[in-house]
Amino acid sequence: MDVLTITDVSPRDGLQSQRTMVATADKLRLIQGLSAAGVMSIEATSFVSPKSVPQMADADVLLPQIVRRDRDNISVLVPNLRGLDRAIAAGANSIAVVLSASDTMNRKNIGMDLDMATQICVTTLKRATDLGLATRAYVAVAFECPFEGIIPPSCVRDLALRVADAGARETVIADTIGAAAPVQIQDVLQLLLVHFSPMQLGLHLHDTRGMALANAWAAIQLGIRRFDASVGGLGGCPFAPGAAGNLATEDLVLMASQCGLHTGIDLVALMSVVAMVQELVGPPIGGRSARWLRTIVEQDSHKEEEK
Amino acid sequence: MDVLTITDVSPRDGLQSQRTMVATADKLRLIQGLSAAGVMSIEATSFVSPKSVPQMADADVLLPQIVRRDRDNISVLVPNLRGLDRAIAAGANSIAVVLSASDTMNRKNIGMDLDMATQICVTTLKRATDLGLATRAYVAVAFECPFEGIIPPSCVRDLALRVADAGARETVIADTIGAAAPVQIQDVLQLLLVHFSPMQLGLHLHDTRGMALANAWAAIQLGIRRFDASVGGLGGCPFAPGAAGNLATEDLVLMASQCGLHTGIDLVALMSVVAMVQELVGPPIGGRSARWLRTIVEQDSHKEEEK
C-alpha cells in the first residue's frame, strides 16, 4: 500500500498568524479532533519567545496536557537551544527547527544572518539528536523570499545537506509564501534527490497562488510521500502580502484518496475539525475542496437520517 | 517556445449557468475584454434552443456583432444540424459539438440515448467539416457522471475515436462535474494518446474538488497543450450539486507563465475582465489565485501612481 504521511501544522503554523487568541483548551480540542480523524502527525506548538509570537505563549502548559496516546504523533517547533530545553521540560520527543534560505528573511524574522541562523539550527539539531529525539528540519522560503526574490536551488540543496548532516531525520522544503509552481518544485526536488532518498524529504506548501495541490502532485510524481498541511487551509505569512494559508489537509487527503495513496485520515471527521476551527478563529476557512466536501457530508447525514 | 492554448469558455459555459441574465452588449464587452487581454480562442455562445438555455437566446444576434478582428478566434457550440444552420447564418467559422459519455446524462440533458446523441454529433461534425468550418468535439462527463458514476476510460476512448473519425479537428475531454484527480486524468489521456497526438486533444476541467490545476499539470506533463478555462472560474453544472465553476483562466495562465509555457495572455488585463464579469453576474468570482493576483495588481498600480 502506497502511504502518504501528512503532518497537520494547523495548531502551530495555522494558528500562529491568527489575530484571535485561541485558548489552550481549544487548542487541545483541535489536536484531539485531528488525532481522532486519523492524522498521525501533528505539529502542536512552538517554543518561541512568547513576546514575538503571543499565540504560542502557552506551549509549556499545552504540551504536557496532550494525552499520552496522542503524544507519539506530536512534534513541536524549537527555534534554538533555549526552546529545545523548554520543549524537553514539557515532554517533547519530536522537534522541528526552521532555517530560512535567505539572509534578509533570517534578519527580519530572527535578527541574525544566514550563517548564524544555520549555526543555531545545527547546534539545536545535534543536541536533540544526542538526546534521542526525533528531528525534522525546515528549509523555509526555499523557492522565493519576499525580500530577496528567487532562491537558487543550489542554495536550498546546500542548506538541506547542512541540516541533514547535523542529524535531521527528515528535511522539509518549505514554500513559505506560496510562490512556487510545479516546475520550480521539480527543479529543487530533482537537485535534492541526487543526495536524498524521497523518504528523507518532505514538502511544506502554501496556497497563495492556488497551486499548492498541483505542486503536491508534482512532488508525488517524484516519489515524495511526506507533506505538511493545515486543516481548513488555516495559516498565512506576516511577511508576504496576499499570502494565503497552508495547503489544506482536506484537499490533500481528497486528492491522495482518489490517487490510490493511503493517508489514514477520515474526511468526514476532518470536516468537523474544519467547522470547529472556523468557530475558533472567526472568518470562514476551508480548503479548495471544502465547499464540495460540505455538500457531500450534508448529503450523507441526510441519508443517515432517512434510514 | 512552448505554447499553451487556452479557450476561454466564460461567455458560453460560464454564463450559461448564471441566474442573472446578461445583456448582449455586456457579453460583447466580455468577449472584447478577453480578446484585448490576449485570449486567442473564445467560445462565444451556444446555438441551443432558447427555451432550454435562455441565457444563450441571443446567439443569433450576438455573433454577427463580434468585430471581424475577433471573429477568427471565436467558436460557438451547436447541438445539432439546426444549431449548425443558425450558427452559419450568424457567420460562424468554428463550431463545437458536445457528446456526454453516459446514457443517463444524454437522456437528462437532451432527451435521447447515447447512440442517438452520438449519431447527431457525427452528422453535425460531418456537415460542418464538409462546409469547411473548424470543428471541436467534446466528450463530456468523461470521468464521472452524476447519475452513472465512474465512466470506463475505454468508453471515452471509443467516443473520442468516433468524433475524430467524423472530422473533429480537436477532441476535448471534459470533466464536466469536476470529479477527476490527476491519476484519472493520466489513465484516460494515456489511453487516448495511443490513438491521438497530444496536439489533437484538449482538456476541459472544473474545479469542484479544488484539483483543476493539479489535473491540468498532470495533462501538461503528458504533452497536452490545449485547455478550456473560464475567466474568474465562472461556471457550474446544473446536474451536479456542489459543482464549482470551470478552471479559472487566470489560474492556468499564472501556472503556465511560471512553468515556461507561453499563453499570450496578460494577467493584469485579465483581472480587469474578472472585475467586469463580477459586476455583471453579482456574486464574487475569481480563481484560486485571484486574491493574490488582486494584491499584485494593486501594488503595481500604486507603483505606477508614485512614478
Side-chain angles (χ1 to χ4, degrees):
Chain A
M1 191 171 52
D2 203 349
V3 171
L4 189 140
T5 303
I6 296 177
T7 297
D8 193 296
V9 298
S10 58
R12 202 276 307 168
D13 198 17
L15 290 182
Q16 180 174 285
S17 55
Q18 303 301 312
R19 285 183 191 176
T20 313
M21 291 298 284
V22 176
T24 306
D26 288 329
K27 291 178 184 174
L28 287 167
R29 282 203 300 137
L30 164 59
I31 292 164
Q32 281 154 10
L34 290 171
S35 189
V39 180
M40 297 293 283
S41 173
I42 301 166
E43 193 169 83
T45 185
S46 171
F47 288 86
V48 284
S49 151
K51 274 186 201 158
S52 53
V53 188
Q55 187 73 271
M56 296 291 119
D58 60 353
D60 310 83
V61 295
L62 172 75
L63 193 55
Q65 292 182 65
I66 297 171
V67 291
R68 189 71 226 166
R69 192 195 60 186
D70 283 341
R71 201 182 297 175
D72 288 340
N73 306 328
I74 297 292
S75 57
V76 297
L77 210 77
V78 299
N80 48 35
L81 287 177
R82 188 177 145 69
L84 178 62
D85 287 343
R86 281 173 59 203
I88 290 168
N93 52 21
S94 178
I95 61 107
V97 299
V98 178
L99 177 60
S100 294
S102 86
D103 213 59
T104 316
M105 190 64 168
N106 280 297
R107 287 179 197 277
K108 297 263 184 187
N109 200 16
I110 53 174
M112 54 184 78
D113 67 12
L114 177 55
D115 279 346
M116 179 65 85
T118 308
Q119 266 183 28
I120 287 176
C121 266
V122 165
T123 311
T124 311
L125 280 170
K126 281 188 174 160
R127 171 83 66 87
T129 306
D130 287 346
L131 293 169
L133 276 69
T135 54
R136 196 162 77 237
Y138 287 86
V139 180
V141 292
F143 299 91
E144 196 175 317
C145 164
F147 310 108
E148 296 190 14
I150 305 294
I151 302 295
S154 60
C155 166
V156 177
R157 176 200 54 200
D158 294 347
L159 294 174
L161 287 171
R162 284 292 298 277
V163 293
D165 282 346
R169 281 195 208 166
E170 188 189 335
T171 302
V172 184
I173 308 305
D175 184 14
T176 312
I177 62 168
V183 161
Q184 283 84 57
I185 299 288
Q186 285 176 342
D187 286 348
V188 169
L189 287 179
Q190 277 164 347
L191 195 59
L192 286 165
L193 288 167
V194 175
H195 306 276
F196 292 85
S197 91
M199 297 314 287
Q200 292 174 294
L201 296 174
L203 201 60
H204 174 104
L205 298 165
H206 281 244
D207 207 17
T208 309
R209 304 189 192 184
M211 276 182 252
L213 262 188
N215 290 341
W217 181 248
I220 287 169
Q221 292 290 85
L222 291 171
I224 304 300
R225 292 293 180 271
R226 292 170 181 275
F227 291 88
D228 280 5
S230 166
V231 71
L234 199 68
C237 175
F239 295 106
N246 291 267
L247 166 61
T249 307
E250 59 270 28
D251 288 354
L252 185 55
V253 170
L254 181 62
M255 182 171 79
S257 73
Q258 286 191 234
C259 293
L261 294 163
H262 182 76
T263 64
I265 299 173
D266 178 74
L267 273 169
V268 175
L270 198 66
M271 288 309 290
S272 71
V273 183
V274 174
M276 179 208 298
V277 175
Q278 189 162 296
E279 274 180 38
L280 292 178
V281 298
I285 61 162
R288 309 301 191 178
S289 60
R291 198 176 75 134
W292 179 77
L293 283 174
R294 283 183 187 121
T295 315
I296 298 302
V297 169
E298 224 167 86
Q299 280 177 349
D300 277 3
S301 69
H302 286 320
K303 275 183 204 154
E304 284 299 314
E305 280 166 22
E306 280 164 18
K307 273 180 196 168
Chain B
M1 192 170 53
D2 203 349
V3 171
L4 190 139
T5 303
I6 296 177
T7 298
D8 193 297
V9 297
S10 58
R12 202 276 306 168
D13 198 18
L15 290 183
Q16 180 174 287
S17 54
Q18 303 302 311
R19 286 183 190 176
T20 313
M21 290 298 283
V22 176
T24 306
D26 289 328
K27 290 177 183 174
L28 286 168
R29 282 203 301 138
L30 164 59
I31 291 163
Q32 280 154 10
L34 290 171
S35 188
V39 179
M40 298 292 284
S41 173
I42 300 166
E43 193 170 83
T45 187
S46 172
F47 287 87
V48 284
S49 151
K51 273 186 202 159
S52 51
V53 188
Q55 186 75 268
M56 297 290 120
D58 61 352
D60 310 83
V61 295
L62 173 75
L63 193 55
Q65 291 183 66
I66 296 171
V67 292
R68 189 71 226 166
R69 190 194 61 185
D70 284 340
R71 202 182 298 175
D72 288 340
N73 306 329
I74 296 291
S75 57
V76 298
L77 211 76
V78 299
N80 48 34
L81 287 178
R82 189 177 143 68
L84 178 61
D85 287 343
R86 282 173 58 202
I88 291 168
N93 52 19
S94 177
I95 62 107
V97 299
V98 178
L99 177 60
S100 294
S102 85
D103 213 60
T104 316
M105 191 64 169
N106 280 297
R107 286 180 198 276
K108 297 263 184 186
N109 200 18
I110 53 173
M112 54 184 78
D113 67 12
L114 178 55
D115 279 347
M116 179 64 85
T118 308
Q119 266 183 28
I120 286 176
C121 265
V122 164
T123 311
T124 310
L125 280 170
K126 281 188 174 159
R127 170 83 65 88
T129 305
D130 287 346
L131 293 169
L133 275 69
T135 53
R136 197 163 76 237
Y138 287 86
V139 180
V141 292
F143 299 92
E144 195 175 317
C145 164
F147 309 108
E148 296 190 15
I150 305 294
I151 303 294
S154 60
C155 165
V156 177
R157 177 201 54 201
D158 294 346
L159 295 174
L161 287 171
R162 284 292 299 277
V163 292
D165 282 347
R169 281 195 208 166
E170 189 190 333
T171 302
V172 184
I173 308 304
D175 184 13
T176 312
I177 63 168
V183 161
Q184 283 83 57
I185 299 288
Q186 286 177 343
D187 286 349
V188 169
L189 287 179
Q190 277 165 347
L191 195 60
L192 286 165
L193 287 168
V194 175
H195 306 275
F196 292 84
S197 93
M199 296 315 286
Q200 292 173 294
L201 295 173
L203 201 61
H204 173 106
L205 297 164
H206 281 244
D207 207 18
T208 310
R209 304 188 192 185
M211 277 182 251
L213 261 188
N215 291 341
W217 181 248
I220 287 169
Q221 292 288 87
L222 291 171
I224 305 299
R225 292 292 181 272
R226 291 170 181 274
F227 291 88
D228 280 5
S230 166
V231 71
L234 199 68
C237 175
F239 295 107
N246 291 267
L247 167 59
T249 307
E250 59 269 30
D251 288 353
L252 185 56
V253 171
L254 181 62
M255 183 171 80
S257 73
Q258 287 192 234
C259 293
L261 294 163
H262 183 76
T263 63
I265 300 173
D266 179 74
L267 273 169
V268 175
L270 198 65
M271 288 310 290
S272 71
V273 183
V274 175
M276 179 208 296
V277 175
Q278 188 161 296
E279 274 179 36
L280 293 178
V281 298
I285 61 162
R288 309 302 190 177
S289 61
R291 197 175 75 133
W292 179 76
L293 283 174
R294 283 183 188 122
T295 315
I296 299 302
V297 169
E298 226 167 84
Q299 280 176 350
D300 278 3
S301 69
H302 285 319
K303 274 181 205 155
E304 284 299 313
E305 280 166 21
E306 279 165 17
K307 272 179 197 169

